Amino acid sequence: MFFKQYYLGCLAHASYLIGDEKTKTGIVVDPQRDIEQYLQDAESNGFQIKHVFLTHFHADFIAGHLELRSQTGATIHLGAKAQAEFDFLSEKNGNILEIGDIRLGIIETPGHTPEGISILIYDLNENSSDPKIVLTGDTLFIGDVGRPDLMASVGVTAQELAAMLYFSLREKLMSLPDNTLVYPAHGAGSLCGKNLSDETVSTIGEQKALNYALQPMSCEEFVALVTENQPLAPEYFSYDAQLNKKERQTLDESLLSGLKALDLKEVLTFQNKGYQILDTRPDQDFNAAHLKGSIGIGLNGKFATWCGIILNPEIPTVIISEPGFEKESEMRLGRIGFDKIAGYLKGGIKALENNPDLTESIACWTPQEFEKKKDTIFILDVRSPNEFGDSHFKGALNVPLNNLTKEFKSVPKNKLILVHCAGGYRSTIACSLLKKEGYTNIANLLGGISAVEKAYYNLIESNSS
């Protein structure tokens, strides 16, 4: 049996290719939308991809099931409770797919979503009675379980899903042999849970011993535990979950229509029409100079997640990137289904060299400058509430970046505002949003609070102090 995990750090997403050496059949589970890596590995190993499984309708990215169907003719498999516009095989609890020396067994594991499934993988050459691997999707993570509140707006409550999750875990997954390898669909950094580990594989036995949500407790206690303190779900999650059910254009079709070079006049015309101008260059380059009114979200961080949180998928977007990174920018937007791309600025920021009146910059402060001016400024901390609770600057206001556009009124326009996060990525996004909103007297803290902590720890308040 061939088995490979693919981990996409930007979205903290894991997908899988399983291959049977006897029949040369390939199976892909929870693919990302850009599918070249699966096609290349299948070809190099002599596999033909014939099946693609989704463990559930993902909310944080667009899966590549339609792309694989288009490229390979693969059959799409979904859980029995799934409803979709495209043709698929419905997989109910206990279904078996046996191909050569591989057996796939279906377990219906609702809780994160109603249609969720987990997939048992048997290597029949090693053991035909016990599974070697379980692909748990977003039902069971390493160190956590799937949040049950993402579907609450479509007819089922978080409490109802949490109760389903309790029984999916205890009656099904926890009953598997302790040495069964656990491979989930997400890792640390995903907003599909609150306590995900950096590890990308574990065992059922390890999770029974270490995972907080698998410890002995009543269903009522479990429901309360997994529904509290979940991170705020971005609005694009519901958009993506619905798009994953639809018969939509493929990523190749989207890239074909969106990779259009635009001159500066065209970009400005689109901007005046209300199009979103997205600058994907690194933080330092955006801070140095950018088109007025553009939003800076660099490719060097959790680009897709923050684009999903900040941008509107229904409003066309124009890209400004480093030359040569236009396609990557659009492809990574396509991973979350943001396909309404009007084009990109030809020549990038250099197209503005002869129009300095169209550009602006963001002042960047070192920790030393911050220490000197700390008593005369308004400090805006755009980290999460948990990060702020752990440690923060004295007197700082915490407005998490994902809430900033809804809470501009809490940020004064008549003061010098120093914006910071942990390291500088989120604060650059925040500064661009503030600039777009009309704030002029702002500065960005280089290196974030982490840089100041090293030199001026006395400026920090923390739970331990």
Side-chain angles (χ1 to χ4, degrees):
M1 180 177 75
F2 174 94
F3 180 83
K4 182 174 180 178
Q5 180 188 65
Y6 303 82
Y7 196 78
L8 180 61
C10 180
L11 288 168
H13 163 229
S15 55
Y16 302 91
L17 173 63
I18 307 124
D20 174 56
E21 299 287 359
K22 182 183 290 185
T23 64
K24 292 299 180 181
T25 299
I27 303 158
V28 181
V29 178
D30 289 333
Q32 62 193 62
R33 197 177 179 195
D34 46 314
I35 60 170
E36 288 75 14
Q37 58 191 347
Y38 315 116
L39 299 177
Q40 291 171 2
D41 284 349
E43 181 179 5
S44 64
N45 286 279
F47 300 134
Q48 181 181 352
I49 297 174
K50 294 185 178 181
H51 304 274
V52 53
F53 285 78
L54 298 188
T55 56
H56 64 290
F57 291 122
H58 296 273
D60 57 324
F61 70 96
I62 301 302
H65 50 295
L66 298 188
E67 283 74 12
L68 282 168
R69 183 194 65 183
S70 174
Q71 291 284 328
T72 69
T75 298
I76 298 171
H77 302 251
L78 302 173
K81 292 184 176 64
Q83 295 181 334
E85 293 180 356
F86 48 84
D87 292 334
F88 64 92
L89 282 183
S90 181
E91 299 289 355
K92 64 181 181 180
N93 201 66
N95 277 11
I96 299 271
L97 176 63
E98 199 158 305
I99 302 171
D101 294 326
I102 295 174
R103 178 190 301 146
L104 270 61
I106 302 300
I107 311 175
E108 289 188 67
T109 50
H112 177 65
T113 64
E115 79 286 348
I117 59 173
S118 297
I119 303 171
L120 300 173
I121 303 176
Y122 298 77
D123 185 341
L124 301 180
N125 280 325
E126 293 184 7
N127 189 331
S128 61
S129 58
D130 292 333
K132 181 176 184 177
I133 292 166
V134 58
L135 303 181
T136 55
D138 284 16
T139 301
L140 173 62
F141 297 127
I142 311 306
D144 203 353
V145 293
R147 60 188 295 177
D149 60 320
L150 297 182
M151 299 293 292
S153 61
V154 292
V156 58
T157 69
Q159 287 69 30
E160 289 170 332
L161 281 169
M164 296 180 198
L165 184 61
Y166 179 84
F167 291 103
S168 292
L169 293 165
R170 279 155 176 76
E171 295 184 356
K172 295 179 179 179
L173 293 178
M174 290 175 67
S175 66
L176 296 173
D178 281 353
N179 63 350
T180 307
L181 294 170
V182 174
Y183 283 93
H186 285 101
S190 169
L191 294 175
C192 292
K194 58 183 177 181
N195 192 46
L196 282 72
S197 169
D198 290 325
E199 300 297 323
T200 59
V201 60
S202 183
T203 65
I204 290 292
E206 287 175 347
Q207 290 309 296
K208 285 161 66 175
L210 302 175
N211 191 315
Y212 75 96
L214 303 190
Q215 303 314 302
M217 68 185 80
S218 68
C219 182
E220 291 74 18
E221 291 171 322
F222 177 86
V223 169
L225 182 65
V226 300
T227 54
E228 67 181 9
N229 298 325
Q230 290 288 0
L232 183 66
E235 292 181 5
Y236 87 95
F237 272 26
S238 59
Y239 176 84
D240 278 17
Q242 293 304 312
L243 193 56
N244 273 320
K245 302 177 182 181
K246 294 182 178 180
E247 184 70 58
R248 50 159 178 79
Q249 67 177 345
T250 65
L251 182 59
D252 285 344
E253 292 168 337
S254 172
L255 292 173
L256 189 63
S257 63
L259 280 174
K260 179 183 178 183
L262 305 171
D263 61 31
L264 179 58
K265 183 177 179 181
E266 290 175 298
V267 170
L268 295 175
T269 298
F270 284 143
Q271 186 177 34
N272 289 334
K273 288 182 178 180
Y275 287 24
Q276 301 167 128
I277 310 299
L278 173 65
D279 192 320
T280 69
R281 295 175 300 140
D283 309 344
Q284 64 271 21
D285 294 336
F286 181 86
N287 288 324
H290 58 267
L291 176 65
K292 291 179 180 178
S294 60
I295 300 170
I297 307 177
L299 290 171
N300 56 309
K302 286 193 172 295
F303 173 77
T305 297
W306 283 112
C307 284
I309 292 170
I310 301 298
L311 303 180
N312 186 331
E314 300 294 353
I315 298 176
T317 299
V318 174
I319 293 169
I320 299 176
S321 73
E322 290 185 287
F325 286 84
E326 299 87 2
K327 184 175 181 179
E328 181 179 349
S329 299
E330 185 174 351
M331 181 271 293
R332 289 173 66 176
L333 285 168
R335 284 175 175 166
I336 57 169
F338 282 47
D339 288 349
K340 292 188 176 181
I341 309 301
Y344 63 90
L345 177 60
K346 185 178 180 180
I349 198 66
K350 287 187 176 181
L352 292 160
E353 282 182 336
N354 296 324
N355 299 91
D357 57 310
L358 297 177
T359 65
E360 60 186 355
S361 61
I362 298 168
C364 293
W365 286 10
T366 64
Q368 290 74 23
E369 289 174 297
F370 167 69
E371 197 277 334
K372 290 178 182 178
K373 303 175 182 179
K374 64 183 184 301
D375 296 327
T376 63
I377 59 175
F378 183 93
I379 303 172
L380 177 63
D381 185 332
V382 297
R383 297 175 302 154
S384 71
N386 286 341
E387 291 173 286
F388 185 83
D390 287 341
S391 66
H392 56 267
F393 292 128
K394 297 172 183 177
L397 173 69
N398 180 220
V399 181
L401 177 56
N402 49 323
N403 292 342
L404 182 58
T405 57
K406 300 173 184 176
E407 298 187 24
F408 281 133
K409 62 182 179 181
S410 64
V411 183
K413 281 191 173 181
N414 60 348
K415 295 183 179 181
L416 172 58
I417 301 164
L418 181 74
V419 187
H420 83 86
C421 60
Y425 183 79
R426 286 171 288 176
S427 61
T428 298
I429 301 172
C431 285
S432 74
L433 295 174
L434 289 165
K435 284 277 192 180
K436 190 173 186 295
E437 187 64 15
Y439 289 79
T440 56
N441 201 11
I442 62 174
N444 193 356
L445 181 60
L446 290 172
I449 194 171
S450 302
V452 175
E453 279 180 324
K454 295 176 182 178
Y456 302 102
Y457 190 77
N458 61 305
L459 303 179
I460 309 293
E461 292 180 326
S462 67
N463 287 338
S464 59
S465 61

